[in-house]
Amino acid sequence: MKLIEGESDVFGYRKLTSCLKRYYKLIINKKKVYRLCKELDILMPQREKKTKYPRKLARNRVVTGSNQLWQMDIKYGYVTSSRRFFYLASIIDVYDRSIVAHYRGTVCESKHIIRMVQKALMRRNSFGQEHRLIIRTDNGPQFCSNAFQEFCLDLVEHERIPPKSPNMNAYIESFHSVLERECYKRNEFITFNHAFRIVDNYIDFYNKRRLHGSLKDLPPQEFFKEASEGKIALKKIAL
């Protein structure tokens, strides 16, 4: 209280902690100072965080073809030898259910997500298409980062689902459920390389050979090819 009566009244609890240590030689941490300031009702008001890029909320859409709406999310896997988790980020095309790109690694930052999306865009030749591609994600830090938002500006439309609404990202959530049941639970990952190899092989199987009930019992890549060639009548997906 003596500190904030003087020049230190402009300090928050972190700098007050430094002052208590510096001038009064107290052994105290910032958490204790925060609790004391809160009890004394002398906490400095928090500054409002200004987001550089406005958040675009996901809305109801009707999808009539491939490369119109992709969903993206991150799933964890466990490696027994090192007792550590690895990341698997995947992008699914809502229309043809293909995993158009994926990333697996011991870390997952916005730069890894950006490279994965770039790979997906090149693989599908989706640069400069007539209909602007939409990528839908949750509110994970990799997707909220300024780097990812800036990357999306000129290439795709990025929208984020509201908190606690996984049903709005149902297609990628469904894929991760299938992956858990058919891959993760059937294998024990001994090393990271072992895990990555099994995951890569499963996604190759999922795209090229796994029959999909909602795709007329065709694998996703075969359905994508036949739909692109006009051999399959267009369908509408409302989500």
Side-chain angles (χ1 to χ4, degrees):
M1 293 300 291
K2 186 175 180 181
L3 279 172
I4 66 167
E5 286 174 2
E7 295 177 335
S8 300
D9 66 330
V10 298
F11 291 161
Y13 72 95
R14 294 177 189 273
K15 290 184 179 177
L16 285 175
T17 304
S18 297
C19 288
L20 291 171
K21 291 177 178 179
R22 184 184 182 94
Y23 302 126
Y24 296 96
K25 310 302 179 186
L26 293 181
I27 300 173
I28 193 168
N29 63 33
K30 61 185 179 183
K31 293 182 180 179
K32 179 68 174 178
V33 175
Y34 176 84
R35 288 196 296 270
L36 290 171
C37 289
K38 191 172 183 180
E39 289 175 12
L40 294 169
D41 195 25
I42 57 172
L43 277 175
M44 288 281 288
Q46 286 190 334
R47 289 173 291 182
E48 290 185 10
K49 290 184 178 179
K50 295 182 180 179
T51 55
K52 187 175 178 181
Y53 300 97
R55 175 184 175 188
K56 292 184 180 178
L57 277 178
R59 56 188 179 86
N60 295 334
R61 298 184 182 274
V62 176
V63 176
T64 58
S66 299
N67 301 331
Q68 293 183 10
L69 176 60
W70 293 351
Q71 292 182 353
M72 177 166 54
D73 200 6
I74 297 171
K75 183 173 175 61
Y76 298 93
Y78 184 70
V79 175
T80 55
S81 62
S82 58
R83 297 182 180 179
R84 289 178 57 198
F85 289 92
F86 66 89
Y87 298 86
L88 172 66
S90 311
I91 303 173
I92 193 170
D93 188 304
V94 166
Y95 188 77
D96 58 61
R97 308 296 203 281
S98 297
I99 301 302
V100 291
H102 71 282
Y103 160 82
R104 70 284 186 285
T106 55
V107 294
C108 186
E109 300 173 352
S110 56
K111 62 182 179 183
H112 302 115
I113 298 298
I114 289 170
R115 283 200 289 266
M116 179 181 67
V117 175
Q118 287 174 326
K119 185 194 301 182
L121 292 171
M122 288 187 290
R123 188 171 289 169
R124 283 295 181 92
N125 194 24
S126 299
F127 293 100
Q129 63 181 23
E130 182 182 354
H131 298 286
R132 190 170 171 84
L133 172 65
I134 300 157
I135 296 182
R136 182 180 291 185
T137 72
D138 60 15
N139 298 281
Q142 298 90 339
F143 310 132
C144 297
S145 68
N146 286 339
F148 184 69
Q149 298 294 327
E150 190 169 339
F151 165 77
C152 290
L153 278 180
D154 298 324
L155 294 174
V156 298
E157 181 178 338
H158 176 219
E159 61 181 26
R160 285 151 47 194
I161 62 175
K164 300 180 181 179
S165 57
N167 57 304
M168 296 193 72
N169 234 8
Y171 291 88
I172 191 65
E173 294 286 352
S174 176
F175 167 70
H176 283 164
S177 176
V178 170
L179 178 78
E180 177 73 30
R181 184 174 66 250
E182 297 182 0
C183 180
Y184 282 15
K185 287 187 176 179
R186 292 187 178 187
N187 295 279
E188 182 179 356
F189 302 133
I190 308 302
T191 64
F192 286 111
N193 286 334
H194 177 238
F196 298 161
R197 185 171 66 253
I198 289 177
V199 168
D200 289 346
N201 289 339
Y202 178 79
I203 291 179
D204 184 74
F205 159 73
Y206 176 89
N207 277 335
K208 298 177 180 177
R209 298 178 296 282
R210 187 182 185 276
L211 306 185
H212 206 298
S214 62
L215 302 179
K216 303 181 183 293
D217 282 340
L218 295 174
Q221 281 195 5
E222 188 175 339
F223 179 87
F224 168 69
K225 183 175 182 295
E226 294 198 6
S228 301
E229 294 172 353
K231 296 179 180 179
I232 295 177
L234 291 176
K235 61 177 180 177
K236 291 183 179 181
I237 301 175
L239 72 163

